[in-house]
Amino acid sequence: MPPHSPKRRKLDHDGVSHSSVDGSNTLSDVDKEVLNLEEQAAPAPTLIPMRHSLLDGDSHHSRYIAAPAMVATDYKSSLFKLQLDKMIEEVQPDYATRLGPVNDILHKLNALIEKIEDREPLTIPEIVRDMKTHKIVIPFPNPPPPENAAYKLAYSKPSDINIVGSYALRTMVEVDNVLTVDMVVTMPSSILQEKDYLNYRYFYKRAYYIARIGAALQDSLGNTFNLRFGFLNGNGLQPILIVGPVQGKLLQVIAKDALLTSVGERDNPLKSTKCEIHIIPAAPIGSFHNIKLRPDMNAIRPTSEANGMLRGLLPTPFYNSTLRAECNYTQYLKLQHHMLKHVKEYRDACILGRTWLRQRGFGSSLSRGGFGHFEWSIIMASLLQGSGPKKRSFLSQSYSSYQLFKATLQYLSTIDLRSEPLILNASDIGLARSEFPAFYDGARGLNLLFKMSASSYVSLRDEAKLSVEMLNDAGINHFEAAFILRKDQPLYQFDSLLHISKSSPTSQVSQDHVDDTTRLALKIYEVLKEALNDRVHCIRVIAPETQSWVLNAGPSQSVCPILVGIVFEPANIERLVDQGPAAEDKCKATKFRKFWGEKADLRRFKDGSILESLVWSNIGSISIFRQIVDYILKRHIGETPTFINEDFARLLPNFEFGPEGFETLREAYVVLENDMRALEGLPLQLRQISAIGSQLRLSSVLPPSFSKRQYLQDPVDVVVQFEGSGRWPDDIVAIQRTKIALLSKLGELLEASVERLLAKLGLENVERPLLNCAYLDVMYPSGAVFRLRVFNEREQTLLDRQIKDNSVDAHNRENAAAAMTLFRRTYLQLPLHTQSLATNCTRFPLLSPTMRLVKMWFQTHMFSDHISDEIIELFVMRTFLQPYPWRAPSSATTGFLRTLDFLARWNWRTNPLIVDFSKSMSDTEIAAINARMEAWRKIDSAMNRIVLFVASNHDKSGTTFSDRAPMKVVAARMTALARSACSLAKELNLKLSPEALFSPFTTDYDFVVHISPRFRGNGNGRKHPKSFRFKNLEVQSDESLTCIAYDPVSEFVQELKSLYSASTVFFHNAGNQSVIGGLWIPQTSSRHFRVGLAYSTKPLVTNWTTVQDDKIETARSSILSEIVRLGGDMISRLDIKR
């Protein structure tokens, strides 16, 4: 949980340096200074929580009247307000500078359109022939007009020309790639007839009108602008003329019309503005009666009267709403101007809403969900008017911009406009429940949400609900998650992505101008929703965007497939059996069997019920989810989907076996605990047994693998605490010897009580008397191996006493401080850390594979031994506990990518990572952690000792798992690789291969040591026990005992670090172990001679012969020769790069 930052800081890769090679302050001195600075640090300002109780009462809309109670204060904090104000200021374009030329161009386009000559009414064939002479293909909607149509098309001077939209309202945002200016050209009523609302007649006239404007502008402007046709918001009924900058070359063509001579002399006048002008034909106000174009009316009549008599006329809500929208451009412009005049914060609230929608991939076009900044601003304006129950407004005009933004979000998330449509200012109309939302503006006769599909509306409500939940979290500043982070990247957002081809058009004839693509998308959503049910949280069906086209051709048919994004429900996604309706319910049972076909089966369950059911297979590599999707889409759509994003978790070792290995080990640990507690004859009673191994946190990359013939290679670390006793010695060294005796006795008792159990005592840290010196390996016949260490509270007191004793020399105090750090890590923090992770693995089923995947990524890029497992686990835990702007990951893929995204953005130089497992940390505790980090940065500004400050509610010191590791150069490399991975994911998008992110880079190292295959893993140059020919010999052999916790490559790396850490930084992959990379520390390349340097040197030679006086450099060739000699047969090759 990074602290609140007033602005986003960019991570930099410069200034990376290694820790000082000349020594550092002792821990005691640093700790004292840190404590002093913590006391001086001022506490962070208290964040004022925001109330989020929304509705009271029974009526679903009248409940919303209590709006002032929704927001207790204007902003969460003064910092949050500053961030909002700064963002609103920065996202707006400079209308005077960047958009200055646009006004002149608009005036001149207006003058050109006004000068277009009227055209007499002509028949359809005559008009088509006439436009061909101008090299214009009229963008008639589908179906095209019949050639024998009784009506004629004409062109007359427009009755009005207006600039509408965000340019007129000054609500544009700079982050859009291309800014759009909407010019509405209102057709004169003289060329329209009362019956033109029927059977596309208006839209045929509209298409001819825009084609005539296009022909005139093409003749007048020449090549000064790029003129193209397009569809307004992807609606095939609304072709528009796009006036854009010419791409790719300077212009020398001067406009033919004298009015544009000044513009024509410029090269590409719109290029510098990055702007497009959309010329939109419109119908005059009142052209068609509202009652005839209501959503429940029909405006597309059958061509044959006899056919119309045989079947009922279905409503055409989409067609009707499109026509109503044509009549209301200026009406909504007046409404918005009224809001700007009377509601001070309306403009800023529109900008906030537009930014929020953009970051989540919503827009007014059909392909982007049909809900963009226009719909947001009009709905907010409607809620601000006195149009609610008892003529009271839903929102208060005195709200701040943030309150308006949040209240609008709350309305969208709380009110389901499908089951309870909202009708404003129209008491004589009723809308039935449907799969589509309805926000009906009775004054203008338009359903503002007519472009939204069921899929996009569910997604919008889910996003609004999640954002309200996020903004109500008063303890954390979620400004970046709400307004800065892009959430619309499919790989980060969805757990599964699939393409469905639309090569085979459906045979059903649309009654409401719904094209094949839209009809197929609706069918896909309905089928998947019915089939997957509670297995998924959200289904988003995204149709391909329509493209603009040249004036002398028709629109091209898109060949892009439909994209389906699915968010899993982790608890249900791999369910084996689906229960359907009871056999007695004939109607539902018949419907169930019709939908599922041969997969449906009648079964009796344990409770005696007889139900229709589905049974899926979990055998093989194809997941149950994929089985369902493949089967149901093939059955109902006739297409086999193409799954795009592969599951990254398949890269994990033994992924096909699932979590069985972890469960088996957990059961073995329970057996160990029970066996130990049942022992009699121990000198002291057992007080507590705590697991601290990553295997029991379900986070080890390699799943535990053991059997009766093969012991577990990596023992599970366990901490054993005995009861307090006055017989414990009052000396640290003596306590370590006492531990040996206790472990020896414990091993004897275990061997005596459990048949075929082996207990072997081992020694460690022999040369460091203050550290733990003994452990006990307990090996069960099942193959499970546990490594026991004894925890005694008295050690902490004695170490603390030695650290504070000024009579002790600095070297011994430093040793005591290092021992204290390791003691707190092993005996105090790791048990809590392990318990919390194990609990959360139950809460989040995808936490375990995500941690393993992220650890594997760190291993692949050779960060082993630099960044501890515990820190990596906290990285992933943060993704699950603080997932905003997303929900908690529901697949290992999204969890992995979001963790990398956090690492790419995290500025560890200034911000701590705070993980609150229990979500109980107070503002004071968070402020204390931030103050402690600031103190560390003041004391250790070069970050020689503490680089990553990683805290939790268990460890508020923030340094337990990051003391002296990683180094600054390692942390910088971590950030650089995470950024590179995120950039690659963004660049390749749906074409991203999991292997691309797990390819190690060795070109950055100064030298690379290649390891012989015989010594990789737990190899020791001999054949593995499982390669024995006779299994009985394998059981009787002690060979497998020698391989427990034996890793020759890791031990070799540790030896290299102990010998050459002053001059070299080593990197290796603990999983693959094929290479060891090395970087020379730049500070040791050349320096003045000094006695006692910790690395091999030689006189500095320049120009091949000149020896610099008193200057030395690292003897790199000698060090490399020693490394090769130490490695012996383990090293197969040495590559020297620099």
Side-chain angles (χ1 to χ4, degrees), residues 1086 1098-1113:
S1086 65
K1098 65 179 182 180
L1100 180 62
V1101 178
T1102 59
N1103 298 328
W1104 301 102
T1105 57
T1106 305
V1107 178
Q1108 295 291 323
D1109 295 338
D1110 199 31
K1111 283 278 190 174
I1112 57 173
E1113 63 179 346

Side-chain angles (χ1 to χ4, degrees), residues 447-464:
N447 174 19
L448 292 169
L449 306 182
F450 77 97
K451 297 193 298 292
M452 296 200 76
S453 65
S455 164
S456 63
Y457 181 67
V458 171
S459 298
L460 176 68
R461 289 196 67 209
D462 186 64
E463 293 291 352

Side-chain angles (χ1 to χ4, degrees), residues 29-41 935 939:
D29 296 335
V30 172
D31 279 347
K32 288 179 181 179
E33 190 64 31
V34 167
L35 292 174
N36 291 335
L37 288 173
E38 283 181 2
E39 293 175 358
Q40 299 171 11
I939 294 300

Side-chain angles (χ1 to χ4, degrees), residues 88-104 106 163-174 176 179-181 273 275 340 347-348 351 354:
I88 292 173
E89 177 186 347
E90 290 184 349
V91 299
Q92 297 184 73
D94 189 336
Y95 290 93
T97 304
R98 175 177 173 181
L99 299 178
V102 172
N103 270 336
D104 295 336
L106 289 174
I163 305 301
V164 301
S166 55
Y167 178 76
L169 300 171
R170 294 298 191 263
T171 57
M172 286 181 161
V173 292
E174 187 77 43
D176 291 338
L179 300 181
T180 300
V181 179
T273 66
C275 220
L340 288 175
R347 177 181 282 109
D348 288 351
I351 293 175
R354 181 172 190 159

Side-chain angles (χ1 to χ4, degrees), residues 337-344 397:
H337 273 296
H338 175 79
M339 287 296 113
L340 288 175
K341 183 177 180 181
H342 292 87
V343 182
K344 179 181 177 182
Q397 295 186 4

Side-chain angles (χ1 to χ4, degrees), residues 806-868:
N806 292 328
S807 63
V808 179
D809 61 87
H811 178 71
N812 287 329
R813 289 171 62 196
E814 177 69 19
N815 289 339
M820 175 67 85
T821 300
L822 187 60
F823 178 89
R824 289 174 177 169
R825 174 193 179 111
T826 305
Y827 300 116
L828 301 182
Q829 292 301 326
L830 271 179
L832 292 174
H833 180 80
T834 301
Q835 183 179 4
S836 296
L837 280 183
T839 301
N840 279 282
C841 282
T842 303
R843 176 184 173 190
F844 302 109
L846 277 305
L847 176 59
S848 173
T850 303
M851 288 191 295
R852 296 172 60 202
L853 201 57
V854 175
K855 283 186 179 182
M856 183 177 170
W857 183 83
F858 274 91
Q859 286 186 359
T860 299
H861 295 290
M862 303 174 69
F863 286 110
S864 299
D865 297 336
H866 286 288
I867 301 178
S868 67

Side-chain angles (χ1 to χ4, degrees), residues 55-75:
L55 304 174
D56 298 307
D58 297 327
S59 173
H60 75 289
H61 291 298
S62 63
R63 297 190 303 241
Y64 205 82
I65 294 301
M70 295 186 304
V71 187
T73 58
D74 281 1
Y75 299 92

